[in-house]
Amino acid sequence: VLFKELNSLGLKINQQKLTILDQELLPHREVWLEVSDPYQMSNYIRSLKVRGAPLIGVAAALAIADYAKKDVSRDELLKSAMTLRGARPTAVNLMNAVDRMLPLLKVPTPSVANLVAKATEIFEEDVRLCLEMGLEGAKFINDGDTVLTHCNAGGLATAGIGTAVGVIKTAHDQGKKIHVYVDETRPLLQGARLTSWELHRHGIPFTLICDNMAGFLMSLGKIQKIFVGADRIAKNGDFANKIGTFTVATMASVHKIPFYVVAPSTTVDPNCPNGKNIPVEQRDPKEVIGAEGHPSSQVYNPAFDVSPRHLVTEYIGCKQYLDL
Amino acid sequence: VLFKELNSLGLKINQQKLTILDQELLPHREVWLEVSDPYQMSNYIRSLKVRGAPLIGVAAALAIADYAKKDVSRDELLKSAMTLRGARPTAVNLMNAVDRMLPLLKVPTPSVANLVAKATEIFEEDVRLCLEMGLEGAKFINDGDTVLTHCNAGGLATAGIGTAVGVIKTAHDQGKKIHVYVDETRPLLQGARLTSWELHRHGIPFTLICDNMAGFLMSLGKIQKIFVGADRIAKNGDFANKIGTFTVATMASVHKIPFYVVAPSTTVDPNCPNGKNIPVEQRDPKEVIGAEGHPSSQVYNPAFDVSPRHLVTEYIGCKQYLDL
């Protein structure tokens, strides 16, 4: 049983080897790491070497299929899948992807071919969904628009062109002249490190700002549209996304700036009625204190926040799955 | 002519030497630097080794008086004063303090004694105004409150106990049990580096957060009051303060959380009718890109933003100077 070659900005199957681009080291070093088994992939997901709600789902599915090729027992496969499933609590794409692999593992003798086919399907589906979201969302961008995005909802966060950044790339590729303000996105700077890297690579002009500058820019009339991704969307449209999104969404609402959530169907949690039911991952204080903070600081470090549906102008890619 | 000994957290006259605590190196190193002349003080102010609207005014006045002791000509004194006056464009306390020294320089033979007396008066007045603001503002803090502050409006920003942080210290010293959320305040992390250092030193419990977490905390009901300083207040109450303040103020307004601006009379610009007339200093992109941002990034780096009066619940220390 062979994998096809699979290529995305942050993850590849190349000569039957599953590798990931170490996103902790971007933008300064581009280092690809081979993934030996699902436990290592879980660690890479926890440490954010692999990140982005759609991508961690795809990465988990591929890690399971790759492990199955290594002649491990059904019980071991199941155990490793459950470890992956619990690697991060907020992004539901991870649970969704593992849950699509589970029925193939819960048979007496799991078929490697079926597991490889399913994981490949999950990868290719994400590529396709990104392209569809790109086209759907690009309609909302006018020639000359300046748009804002938060965190990285790009090719590094998906198997394809990205969600929010995929929309921006699509509009750019359609010949629309656009400029992007990139929130640096503390504490781990996914905007400054990853979205900047990706936009630069794609030739899209951008300006990097600190998160606390976005609201002031809105008040100055410098932002026409805002596009963000999501990590989990409740049935009613409330959604979790990278910490800071709620403030961006609220400031957009105050300034009557259209605010778009771009996410595939795999980001919708049909079992989650509203935002109150979305668990918010709390991460290590060290991420906030970094090199500069006072070492005696207590720290609050939620990785995500939850925004209510009323702040969202339009959902792109997932609207038909929501009860709005 | 001798200076008295003058002591504040960030600036001292000690054995006739004017020294400043290098705020760029806090919280990890406490290094005091002797100031040789007003040009060096201007550089220290530009690089934020000395910072905080009230403190840079006090520092400028003392630097001029100290220079006068060194037998320099009237013209040279005037020239150095004008260099100091232009060191930073937004905080009006700097211009206000220099303008109080100027009449003493614009006489045929400036009196060193008069200059020393005037600079000392400006220092001591700031100490007194801080104490008054502390008492006035502490009335708004209840036992058990959790408050938020942005940037550093503390003893490091004034000659006294601080403005916003002075209010918090006063409430704490009155025996009120309070907890402080400290915005780290990108790009230069005055909250993470300076306010944390100062609160820790004063024994006040605090939690450090990234700027983009404050809005989410407000939505969770975790913040009862917000206190910030100001760098310039227009006659109508619009005010400039550290970048990010506008977003904090707007989020407070949306969540109906009382928002207090704490600033002495020296922060009011009677010649400035409203916020549109306040110049916003733009600083070096390197402050934002830092070690992590993509090196090809364009950067927007306003040091301040301007918030409208309608977002302010109460002005502490300067209300009688405003036309509200």
Side-chain angles (χ1 to χ4, degrees), chain B residues 180-192:
Chain B
V180 184
Y181 277 102
V182 176
D183 271 355
E184 64 174 6
T185 316
R186 282 281 290 150
L188 293 175
L189 300 166
Q190 290 92 339

Side-chain angles (χ1 to χ4, degrees), chain A residues 7 13 16 19 47 57-58 80 85 106 134 144 149 155 157 160 165 169 194 215 223 226 251 254 282 307:
Chain A
N7 270 293
I13 300 269
Q16 301 305 304
T19 60
S47 63
V58 170
S80 73
R85 196 180 189 282
K106 287 181 173 169
T149 190
V165 174
K169 287 177 182 171
L194 308 180
I223 294 171
I226 297 169
M251 295 302 286
V254 167
Q282 301 288 327
S307 301

Side-chain angles (χ1 to χ4, degrees), chain B residues 2-6 13-18 69:
Chain B
L2 291 178
F3 274 114
K4 316 187 185 183
E5 302 277 297
L6 296 174
I13 299 269
N14 185 256
Q15 298 185 320
Q16 301 305 305
K17 288 193 199 316
L18 173 60
K69 290 181 66 187

Side-chain angles (χ1 to χ4, degrees), chain A residues 35 44 46 78 109 142-143 166-167 195 218 246 258 282 291 297:
Chain A
V35 183
Y44 287 165
R46 270 191 211 100
L78 265 171
T109 314
N142 296 326
D143 191 44
V167 166
T195 301
M218 295 185 210
F246 169 68
Q282 301 288 327
S297 304

Side-chain angles (χ1 to χ4, degrees), chain A residues 222-256:
Chain A
K222 302 225 184 242
I223 294 171
Q224 277 81 53
K225 314 274 161 64
I226 297 169
F227 294 87
V228 300
D231 287 80
R232 188 186 300 219
I233 308 181
K235 277 299 276 180
N236 76 337
D238 295 350
F239 71 103
N241 191 42
K242 180 55 55 198
I243 185 69
T245 302
F246 169 68
T247 294
V248 173
T250 303
M251 295 302 286
S253 170
V254 167
H255 292 93
K256 304 196 191 329

